Amino acid sequence: MRDNNVEQALKALKKKMQREGTFREMKRRNHYETPSEKKARQKAEAIRRARKLARKRAQREGLLPKPKVAARR
């Protein structure tokens, strides 16, 4: 925490927790998930990961354009 800036520290913490998937995990554990819902969720997550990996691979090989990086403030 720099200069006792609580807002900035909270923002950094929330961003880190978001990246790690902590919020998603807490929301998922809040309610009972039936086995069929769990299976469907895991399948969707696997598909999402596979698509992301394929997209990254295609970008590395030059088949797709690289994503544009937003300018930092």
Side-chain angles (χ1 to χ4, degrees):
M1 193 161 68
R2 295 185 189 125
D3 303 325
N4 290 328
N5 192 345
V6 178
E7 289 82 23
Q8 188 177 11
L10 271 175
K11 187 176 178 183
L13 176 65
K14 284 182 181 180
K15 193 173 186 178
K16 187 172 187 174
M17 289 176 74
Q18 183 73 33
R19 257 186 276 126
E20 293 174 354
T22 309
F23 289 126
R24 191 181 310 121
E25 182 75 14
M26 287 187 329
K27 187 175 180 183
R28 192 176 62 77
R29 287 176 183 251
N30 207 11
H31 301 286
Y32 177 73
E33 186 177 32
T34 63
S36 61
E37 289 173 338
K38 182 177 180 180
K39 189 175 177 183
R41 178 183 50 81
Q42 288 176 337
K43 187 175 181 179
E45 287 173 356
I47 290 170
R48 205 173 301 122
R49 279 194 308 271
R51 283 184 182 156
K52 184 176 182 180
L53 183 65
R55 188 172 55 246
K56 294 237 180 217
R57 191 176 295 131
Q59 287 172 349
R60 271 197 307 269
E61 294 172 0
L63 301 174
L64 289 175
K66 300 235 184 214
K68 295 179 182 175
V69 179
R72 295 190 74 117
R73 291 186 230 180

